């Protein structure tokens, strides 16, 4: 079977949420062998045709380690399932720099029904990528978003470098815990500009959690008065207290996600997803060809521009990078 | 001559001698208890099967393969009657290894005693009822930590006046050692657990402040004793000192008798070896010395494992051998004729002081982290234990820690005891499970359903409103409610818990130079395989069934990451269906299954069957306490490798896994 036809068939099976197919597609996009690239490209193109570009909602959960992101992700998945929505989860864990190995621990916190076809959980290792996201995360989200109504992306929790997630999802949810001093760190690091929702988890800590939320709202108000930190619609950034352990505040959080999804216009959503793909392509290019490659192609800004145009004309990020790579290598090889 | 007689007359009273026992059915276990008592055993130690421990009836899907395996199934008052049939409960001292369902089993015991006209005030014994060590090591927890602590506090509040001779909780350092704890960690973590329990009682409002010293006096401990028996003896003296300090300073207990550190012991099973298993009886005896030699810190009750535990379930004769060891020490030797023989030893005094100081520092550290419950929920304690255990295994693997017959002195003549290996252990009749499944259905059909429903509704209401769980549980016991129903009612109200696995954040010490080259060679091989496969080899470590002994699975997971695998480990108590679903969703290249409860023949074929059904073709390896004959059977069914405790070289196992993945990849590509 020619690769294109194979990709089209696989994409159709992914769209009908056949678990074995979803898994096979994820295996493929994780495959880094050069010979797999054209097949990955064909798959991504085929997946794009299966769904309207504005389908579904992709939500990222980010925040420092130990705040309960895994438990919260599990609770959110359960709540979405209770509402009849199908959920794909992509849980990203750090790889060991020494061995390259990784312990993908998130399933352990999740008690799930193996017969449920409406829930799919996949772990992904960062494989040495900084930024809290894995090499294959963008493509992984494309796969899951074709199969499921809602996609939850849980990042590694390395905290202040986790800004990549905004390029992968429609809505970023920052999770912190009471009394950790994280908020101040985030404001300093500029991460506060990224989230669309802030959750103070471990609300079972009672007053401490409520106070952390109040402090946070105060800090955000001050930022807003200075012209920073709103949710993009002149409304204050929602701050919510949850207890993923005791399942408190989970339905309210899903309500907020759903409301945000409903409020965003189709054009805005497509623009955000488009920008995410541009960033993905440039990151992929930089990963393969490095600083030297970026300079060869006229620098990051010029490259962003070029990728932007290519994607508007219908190419996929992986395809764009393949083309750029060839040109880059040709330039490097040509005598000055 | 006269002097000798006087000495004999002044002899100390021996400790209570028990054997951890129970299997198949209540009736079979009753017969075993009678034989054991006739052999001179002075107390009973009831081993319950895993469905009873985790709150499932024998006909529940999760009970498959586990009924009557590691202990006796007790599903309702009828089973409890049969278990103690003809035994005088007012004279028995009964220890029950029961935790999440402890309130229920005690309720059944009380109900049966009262049917026999025995006043509950006369009942003596212990319910283990320490959930912290279940989260950290043993794995038979059900409910979230807060709810579990409340149940323990309920039992303490109830028994302190209603069943005043009962030890409602037995704080365990035993299983912490099994999970890898160092002696100092054992001291610190178990004392911190006792603090959490007592704080919960103190702040719970069920017991008046004036009765707190009496409550403190009912707290007992269950301790492990390993082969480093001098250090173990010092540990026991350190326990005594620290407990005296905590009870006095933190709880203001003035009465010396309420501050006494009372403990029972099961000596170490973890160090028992599969190769040259006859050596284990010697280890067992030396370990017993650690908790018997020092009069000031002597155990109140001792139970010894059997020499062949690493091979499978021990037979009655194996257990008798261990009982005889206790009897010889207590009745033949002169041990009990002396005061504490270490008084005044500056070597022992210094060692104890060192342990006390180190443990106290840890106790304060846990306190600063918000107490033991917080340290469980955050995964901190589990992570520390996983690290300690990894260090221990590495020391054995490198030969730094000598284990005779395993990593040194491995030459051996054929052992007559294990000549016919499959007869050297006990096997539970597979018909037991089927009979139990039918019996429970009959029980439900024949009872007064209305009364059972009403009792369950009352139980739920009591738990919901925060009332003490014991009175409603005793009523439910009388109404014919089953173990599964009792637990389901509580699951409904307080929810279920999955504890942190501790592996994700665990750090490994720097490798010894000789071990380093092996690991580096494995890493290089995995890196090469990564290029060939296009992505990193990924392994699923699965722990099916109800057995919570997760050390093996944890160490395999950790080691696999260390050599470069991507590892998916889901923690304990997953079903075959969940394992297969995870294998598919995660796209793993190989599956490792760990089962220690002996239910491998029931569970593994189920996994194989389901994988086949879903069209998944990946190699599968199994590890556990698996008799030779069973291993052959599993291999015939398609299992790639079977590992038992004798396979302690993790590097070799990792080498196998890598090659199995590589072989599967080439076969697959050729297809």
């Amino acid at each position: 079977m020619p690769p294109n036809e194979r990709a089209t068939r696989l994409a159709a099976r992914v769209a009908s949420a056949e678990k074995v197919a979803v898994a096979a597609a994820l295996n493929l996009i994780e495959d880094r062998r050069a010979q797999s690239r054209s097949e990955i490209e064909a798959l991504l193109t085929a997946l794009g045709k299966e769904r309207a570009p504005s389908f579904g909602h992709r939500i990222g959960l980010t925040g420092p380690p130990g705040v309960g992101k895994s438990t919260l992700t599990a609770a959110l998945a359960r709540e979405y399932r209770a509402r009849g929505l199908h959920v794909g989860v992509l849980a990203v864990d750090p790889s060991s720099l020494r061995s390259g190995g990784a312990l993908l621990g998130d399933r352990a916190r999740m008690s799930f029904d193996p017969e449920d076809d409406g829930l799919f959980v996949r772990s992904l290792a960062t494989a040495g990528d900084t930024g809290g996201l894995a090499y294959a995360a963008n493509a992984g989200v494309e796969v899951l978003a074709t199969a499921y109504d809602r996609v939850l992306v849980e990042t590694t929790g390395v905290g202040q470098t986790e800004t990549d997630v905004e390029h992968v999802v429609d809505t970023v949810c920052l999770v912190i815990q009471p009394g950790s001093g994280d908020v101040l760190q985030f404001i300093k690091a500029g991460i506060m500009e990224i989230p669309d929702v802030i959750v103070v988890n471990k609300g079972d800590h009672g007053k401490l959690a409520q106070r952390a939320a109040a402090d946070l709202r105060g800090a955000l108000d001050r930022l807003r008065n200075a012209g920073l930190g709103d949710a993009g619609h002149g409304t204050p950034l929602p701050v919510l207290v949850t207890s993923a352990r005791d399942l408190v505040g989970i339905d309210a959080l899903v309500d907020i996600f759903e409301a945000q999804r409903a409020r965003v216009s189709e054009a805005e959503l497509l623009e955000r997803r488009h920008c995410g793909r541009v960033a993905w392509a440039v990151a992929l290019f930089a990963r393969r060809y490095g600083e030297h490659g970026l300079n060869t192609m006229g620098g990051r800004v010029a490259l962003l521009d070029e990728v932007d145009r290519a994607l508007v004309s219908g190419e996929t990020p992986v395809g764009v990078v393949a083309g750029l790579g060839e040109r880059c290598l040709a330039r490097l090889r040509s005598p000055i | 001559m006269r002097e000798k007689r006087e000495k004999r007359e002044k002899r100390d009273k021996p400790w209570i001698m028990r054997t951890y026992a129970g299997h198949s059915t209540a009736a079979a276990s009753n017969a075993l208890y009678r034989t054991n008592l006739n052999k001179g055993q002075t107390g009973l130690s009831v081993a319950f099967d895993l469905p009873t421990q985790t709150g499932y009836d024998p006909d529940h899907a999760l009970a498959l393969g586990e009924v009557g395996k590691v202990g006796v199934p007790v599903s309702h008052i009828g089973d409890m009657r049969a278990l103690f049939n003809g035994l005088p409960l007012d004279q028995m001292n009964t220890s029950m290894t029961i935790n999440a369902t402890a309130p229920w089993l005690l309720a059944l015991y009380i109900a049966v005693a009262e049917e026999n006209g025995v006043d509950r005030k006369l009942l003596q014994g212990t319910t283990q009822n320490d959930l912290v060590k279940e989260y950290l090591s043993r794995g038979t927890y059900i409910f979230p930590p807060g709810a579990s602590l409340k149940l323990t506090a309920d039992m303490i509040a109830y028994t302190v006046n209603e069943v005043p001779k009962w030890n409602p909780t037995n704080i365990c350092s035993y299983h912490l050692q099994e999970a890898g704890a160092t002696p100092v960690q054992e001291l610190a973590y178990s004392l911190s657990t006792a603090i959490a329990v007592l704080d919960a009682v103190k702040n719970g409002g069920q017991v008046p402040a004036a009765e707190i010293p009496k409550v403190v006096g009912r707290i007992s401990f269950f301790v492990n004793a390993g082969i480093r028996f001098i250090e173990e003896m010092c540990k026991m003296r350190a326990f005594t000192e620290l407990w005296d300090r905590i009870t006095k300073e933190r709880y203001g207990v003035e009465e010396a008798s309420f501050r006494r550190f009372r403990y029972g012991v099961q000596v170490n099973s973890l160090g028992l070896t599969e190769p040259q298993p006859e050596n284990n009886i010697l280890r067992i005896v030396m370990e017993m010395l650690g908790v018997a030699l020092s009069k000031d810190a002597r155990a109140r009750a001792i139970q010894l494992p059997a020499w062949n535990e690493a091979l499978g379930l021990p037979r009655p004769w194996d257990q008798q051998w261990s009982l005889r060891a206790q009897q010889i020490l207590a009745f033949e030797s002169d041990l009990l004729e002396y005061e504490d023989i270490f008084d005044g030893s500056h070597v022992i005094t210094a060692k104890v002081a060192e342990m006390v100081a180190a443990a106290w520092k840890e106790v304060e550290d846990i306190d600063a982290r918000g107490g033991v419950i917080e340290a469980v929920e955050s995964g901190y304690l589990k992570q520390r234990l996983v690290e300690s255990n990894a260090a221990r295994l590495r020391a054995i693997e490198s030969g730094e820690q000598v284990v005779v017959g395993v990593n040194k002195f491995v030459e051996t003549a054929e052992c007559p005891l294990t000549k016919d290996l499959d007869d050297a252990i006990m096997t539970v009749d597979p018909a037991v499970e089927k009979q139990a499944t039918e019996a429970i259905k009959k029980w439900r059909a024949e009872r007064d359903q209305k009364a059972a429903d009403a009792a369950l509704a009352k139980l739920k209401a009591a738990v919901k409103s925060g009332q003490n769980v014991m009175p409603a549980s005793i009523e439910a016991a009388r109404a014919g409610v089953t173990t599964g129903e009792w637990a389901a009612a509580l699951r409904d109200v307080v929810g279920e818990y999955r504890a942190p696995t501790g592996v994700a954040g665990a750090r490994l010490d720097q490798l010894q130079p000789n071990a380093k080259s092996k690991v580096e060679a494995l890493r290089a091989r995995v890196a090469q395989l990564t290029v060939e496969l296009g992505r990193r080899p990924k392994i699923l470590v699965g722990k099916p069934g109800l057995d919570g002994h997760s050390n093996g699975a944890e160490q395999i997971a950790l080691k696999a990451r260390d050599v470069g695998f991507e590892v998916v480990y889901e923690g304990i108590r997953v079903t075959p269906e969940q394992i297969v679903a995870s294998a598919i969703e995660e796209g793993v290249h190989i599956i490792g299954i760990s089962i220690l409860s002996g239910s491998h023949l029931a569970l593994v074929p189920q996994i194989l069957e389901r994988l086949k059904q879903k069209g998944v073709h990946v190699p599968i390896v199994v590890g556990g306490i698996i008799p030779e004959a069973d291993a052959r059977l599993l291999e015939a069914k398609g299992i790639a490798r079977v590992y038992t405790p004798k396979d302690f070289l993790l590097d070799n196992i990792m080498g196998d896994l890598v090659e199995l993945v590589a072989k599967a990849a080439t076969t697959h590509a050729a297809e």
Side-chain angles (χ1 to χ4, degrees):
Chain A
M1 203 188 295
N4 277 343
E5 200 184 320
R6 206 156 59 207
T8 310
R9 285 197 187 181
L10 184 58
R13 287 170 64 206
V14 169
S16 61
E18 198 184 313
K19 277 193 176 180
V20 177
V22 176
L26 290 167
N27 294 350
L28 177 62
I29 57 105
E30 275 195 78
D31 192 335
R32 297 192 187 194
R33 285 176 296 188
Q35 73 251 39
S36 303
R37 279 183 199 160
S38 59
E39 191 149 359
I40 295 174
E41 196 189 328
L43 175 69
L44 289 172
T45 309
L47 287 173
K49 290 178 189 150
E50 289 291 340
R51 291 285 188 199
S54 61
F55 175 78
H57 191 194
R58 306 154 183 198
I59 298 152
L61 289 110
T62 183
V67 297
K69 288 193 297 295
S70 303
T71 316
L72 185 62
T73 304
L76 286 171
R78 200 175 308 140
E79 175 66 21
Y80 275 123
R81 289 302 293 123
R83 295 185 186 199
L85 288 163
H86 292 190
V87 186
V89 176
L90 197 66
V92 183
D93 277 302
S95 296
S96 151
L97 290 178
R98 209 185 308 154
S99 71
L103 271 160
L104 309 165
D106 289 279
R107 295 192 89 93
R109 305 314 297 274
M110 218 174 252
S111 176
F112 64 98
D113 173 7
E115 306 289 348
D116 181 3
D117 282 328
L119 176 67
F120 189 104
V121 182
R122 174 81 166 214
S123 320
L124 213 55
T126 56
D129 288 351
T130 53
L133 273 185
Y135 160 80
N138 297 74
V141 168
E142 297 290 336
V143 172
L144 290 176
T146 307
Y148 304 102
D149 305 314
R150 299 289 178 267
V151 175
L152 299 171
V153 180
E154 186 199 327
T155 65
T156 58
V158 287
Q160 298 170 16
T161 59
E162 304 221 314
T163 50
D164 284 1
V165 68
E166 70 166 328
H167 300 307
V168 181
V169 297
D170 308 325
T171 298
V172 175
C173 174
L174 174 66
V175 189
I176 56 171
Q177 65 177 339
S180 58
D182 293 330
V183 176
L184 205 62
Q185 293 300 324
F186 285 128
I187 291 174
K188 274 195 214 155
I191 279 211
M192 279 317 224
E193 293 162 29
I194 295 186
D196 304 288
V197 181
I198 301 182
V199 164
V200 180
N201 193 29
K202 303 204 177 172
D204 35 279
H205 288 221
K207 275 191 190 137
L208 208 57
Q210 298 298 343
R211 210 178 66 203
D215 286 353
L216 191 54
R217 288 189 193 105
L220 289 170
D221 276 350
R222 285 193 293 280
L223 277 180
R224 233 175 122 231
N225 292 339
L228 296 159
D230 63 43
H233 298 270
T235 50
L237 203 57
V239 175
L240 197 73
V241 177
T242 62
S243 167
R245 191 193 71 183
D246 300 341
L247 299 179
V248 174
I250 306 303
D251 50 346
L253 181 56
V254 168
D255 285 345
I256 287 179
F257 288 151
E258 292 296 298
Q260 289 197 342
R261 177 67 181 78
R263 199 172 53 226
V264 173
S265 72
E266 171 141 352
E268 281 172 304
L269 183 72
L270 293 183
E271 175 61 17
R272 178 158 186 167
R273 288 185 181 176
H274 172 73
C275 289
R277 281 190 196 106
V278 172
W280 164 21
V282 172
L284 190 58
F285 180 86
R287 187 193 164 89
R288 274 191 204 149
Y289 303 100
E291 196 67 32
H292 193 47
L294 277 175
N295 290 336
T296 307
M297 298 309 288
R300 188 179 288 273
V301 177
L303 200 67
L304 280 170
D305 240 27
E306 189 171 346
V307 170
D308 180 47
R309 280 194 305 274
L311 292 183
V312 168
S313 75
E315 286 191 65
T316 70
V318 176
V320 173
V321 173
L324 284 170
E326 274 167 35
R327 277 165 47 211
C328 176
L329 290 176
R331 275 187 208 179
L332 286 169
R333 272 190 218 109
S334 66
I336 303 164
Chain B
M1 202 57 200
R2 222 182 91 203
E3 196 192 349
K4 212 169 176 181
R5 193 164 52 234
E6 269 174 16
K7 261 197 165 171
R8 280 210 192 113
E9 277 157 11
K10 279 199 336 220
R11 279 175 80 92
D12 238 22
K13 226 175 100 193
W15 53 89
I16 297 170
M17 300 181 191
R18 295 186 173 123
T19 307
Y20 183 56
H23 66 87
S24 303
T25 63
S29 301
N30 177 270
L32 177 65
Y33 296 162
R34 285 163 186 255
T35 334
N36 285 348
L37 290 168
N38 286 339
K39 286 174 181 166
Q41 186 176 303
T42 50
L44 292 178
S45 171
V46 182
F48 294 98
D49 73 353
L50 286 166
T52 305
Q53 292 188 51
T54 50
Y56 296 108
D57 286 335
D59 57 347
H60 192 280
L62 275 170
L64 182 91
E66 308 275 17
V67 178
K69 243 344 135 37
V70 301
V72 57
V74 174
S75 307
H76 45 68
I77 195 168
D79 286 342
M80 195 58 113
R81 281 178 201 133
L83 188 63
F84 290 101
N85 182 26
L87 299 171
L89 292 186
D90 50 346
Q91 291 157 45
M92 282 290 119
N93 192 313
T94 308
S95 165
M96 301 190 210
T97 300
I98 198 73
N99 294 280
T101 53
W104 173 241
L105 272 300
L106 179 60
L108 289 172
Y109 194 73
I110 291 172
V112 167
E114 291 183 344
E115 277 181 358
N116 294 336
V118 173
D119 186 349
R120 62 177 83 154
K121 294 209 160 48
L122 298 176
L123 296 179
Q124 285 185 69
T126 304
T127 31
Q128 195 167 73
N129 199 18
D130 167 9
L131 273 303
V132 169
K133 67 91 174 51
E134 294 295 329
Y135 300 126
L136 293 178
S137 167
R138 202 169 161 274
T140 69
Y141 58 84
I142 303 174
F143 314 116
S148 294
L149 203 57
K150 166 72 167 62
L151 290 175
T152 300
D154 279 0
M155 281 179 75
I156 293 172
Y158 179 82
T159 53
V160 73
N161 290 318
E162 290 297 315
V163 200
K165 290 178 170 178
W166 197 263
N167 299 313
T169 172
N170 209 8
I171 309 288
C172 297
S173 82
Y174 180 86
H175 313 83
L176 301 178
Q177 184 176 113
E178 299 263 298
T182 63
V184 167
Q185 286 175 330
E186 261 188 79
L187 285 162
Y189 298 177
S190 55
L191 290 170
S192 295
T193 302
I195 288 172
V197 167
L198 283 174
D199 282 0
V201 176
K202 206 173 140 189
N203 304 328
Q206 293 194 69
V207 178
E211 288 196 0
I212 291 295
K214 211 160 98 187
V215 166
V216 171
R218 289 320 307 165
I219 302 287
S220 59
F221 290 77
F222 184 60
V223 178
N224 204 330
I227 192 68
R228 293 171 57 82
F229 72 96
I230 307 289
E231 187 178 52
E232 292 294 60
M233 192 211 45
C234 295
K235 178 184 83 186
M236 296 326 306
R237 291 169 81 96
F239 256 130
T240 307
E241 257 187 67
L242 285 162
W243 187 239
D244 190 71
R245 185 195 291 183
I246 290 167
T247 50
K248 197 169 187 178
E249 290 173 7
R250 194 172 177 114
Y251 301 104
V253 180
E254 291 304 327
E255 302 86 332
S257 64
F258 290 156
R259 296 207 309 269
R260 197 171 300 143
F261 183 78
R262 300 180 309 126
Y263 75 102
V265 172
Q266 154 103 13
V267 310
N268 190 300
S269 287
L270 180 71
L272 301 184
T273 63
E274 186 187 357
Q276 301 182 29
E278 67 279 8
N279 300 339
N280 291 329
I281 197 73
L282 308 169
R283 294 192 175 95
I284 288 165
V285 168
M286 275 183 255
E287 289 166 353
M288 170 171 57
L289 293 180
V291 291
L293 281 182
S294 163
K295 185 183 173 183
D296 290 350
R298 185 171 294 147
R300 300 218 147 198
I302 298 180
Q303 52 191 41
L304 301 179
W307 67 283
N308 56 348
E309 281 198 4
L311 305 177
L313 290 178
R315 303 157 298 183
W317 178 84
D318 307 314
Q319 297 198 319
Q320 176 189 313
W321 201 11
S322 293
L323 175 64
R324 294 295 183 246
Q326 292 202 50
Q327 290 165 333
I328 290 168
L329 181 66
F331 301 114
E332 280 189 34
S333 89
D334 57 350
L335 175 72
L336 295 180
E337 292 168 14
Y338 292 90
E339 290 305 304
D340 196 288
I341 56 176
F342 298 99
D343 261 357
S345 158
H346 61 269
V347 178
I348 298 295
T349 307
K351 179 71 187 169
V352 173
E354 176 198 317
M355 291 175 102
V356 163
W360 190 249
K361 217 172 129 224
E362 285 262 0
V363 168
E364 286 182 326
D365 179 55
I366 292 169
D367 214 25
R369 287 171 185 275
V372 83
I373 297 294
E374 183 65 30
V376 164
E377 290 193 313
S378 71
Y380 168 76
L381 289 180
K382 181 66 184 171
Q383 196 174 308
R384 294 288 311 272
L385 291 174
V386 170
E387 288 167 358
S388 296
N389 204 25
R392 187 182 69 85
L393 292 180
R394 275 189 176 182
I396 295 174
E397 202 166 352
S398 70
E400 194 186 325
Q401 182 178 331
V402 172
V403 184
V404 172
V406 173
N407 63 6
K408 210 167 185 180
F409 314 119
V410 290
E411 286 303 312
T412 179
E414 195 185 356
C415 170
L417 285 174
T418 53
K419 216 167 172 183
D420 198 351
L421 206 56
D422 297 325
D423 288 340
I425 49 170
M426 198 191 76
T427 43
V428 173
D429 184 355
V432 158
E433 185 160 312
K434 200 163 162 273
Q435 286 158 10
T437 307
E438 280 157 17
I440 187 91
K441 290 193 172 118
K442 190 159 171 265
W443 175 270
R444 286 196 210 104
E446 286 174 3
R447 72 182 171 186
D448 177 351
Q449 191 58 41
K450 267 191 197 146
D453 289 344
L456 278 169
K458 216 167 159 186
L459 173 69
K460 273 193 179 180
V463 176
K464 219 173 261 173
S465 66
Q467 286 169 46
N468 194 302
V469 74
M470 285 308 299
S473 296
I474 296 171
E475 267 186 61
R478 290 195 192 110
V481 163
T482 68
T483 301
E485 290 166 341
W486 181 87
L490 268 76
R491 281 182 164 103
D492 263 7
V493 180
V494 305
E496 269 192 87
Y497 187 65
R498 288 191 73 72
T501 62
V503 292
R507 286 178 306 256
L508 297 174
D509 294 339
Q510 283 296 322
L511 286 165
Q512 301 289 319
N514 60 338
K516 207 169 177 169
S517 59
K518 269 190 211 154
V519 168
E520 272 165 7
L522 281 164
R523 282 180 190 163
R525 182 72 184 98
V526 171
Q528 185 197 351
L529 192 56
T530 302
V531 174
E532 286 164 25
L533 295 170
R535 61 188 176 109
R536 261 189 191 274
K538 200 171 183 182
I539 182 173
L540 173 70
V541 178
K543 194 143 178 51
L546 296 176
D547 155 45
H549 292 85
S550 53
N551 297 341
E554 287 155 6
Q555 294 303 321
I556 289 291
L558 210 56
K559 186 77 188 186
R561 179 199 59 180
D562 201 33
V563 302
F565 275 89
E566 286 182 359
V567 184
V568 180
Y569 172 53
E570 305 180 281
I572 59 167
R573 250 187 272 165
V574 287
T575 61
E577 291 79 9
Q578 282 172 325
I579 287 175
V580 172
S582 298
I584 294 169
E585 291 178 27
E586 293 289 354
V588 298
H589 298 98
I590 188 166
I591 302 173
I593 305 284
S594 165
I595 303 173
L596 278 89
S597 65
S599 56
H600 43 267
L601 287 184
L603 292 168
V604 173
Q606 266 205 342
I607 296 170
L608 286 170
E609 186 53 40
R610 205 171 164 86
L611 282 169
K612 210 167 126 193
Q613 205 183 328
K614 299 270 176 189
V616 184
H617 306 284
V618 294
I620 304 165
V621 301
V622 178
I625 300 193
I626 297 171
E628 188 70 21
D630 291 2
R632 298 291 86 78
L633 222 65
L634 291 174
E635 281 165 359
K637 283 183 190 291
I639 294 300
R641 294 275 190 289
V642 174
Y643 298 104
T644 65
K646 72 173 182 300
D647 301 297
F648 68 97
L649 294 170
L650 292 181
D651 285 339
N652 291 358
I653 296 179
M654 291 303 133
D656 288 354
L657 299 183
V658 174
E659 293 320 317
L660 285 169
V661 171
K663 199 175 135 214
T666 36
T667 328
H668 195 67
E671 270 167 11

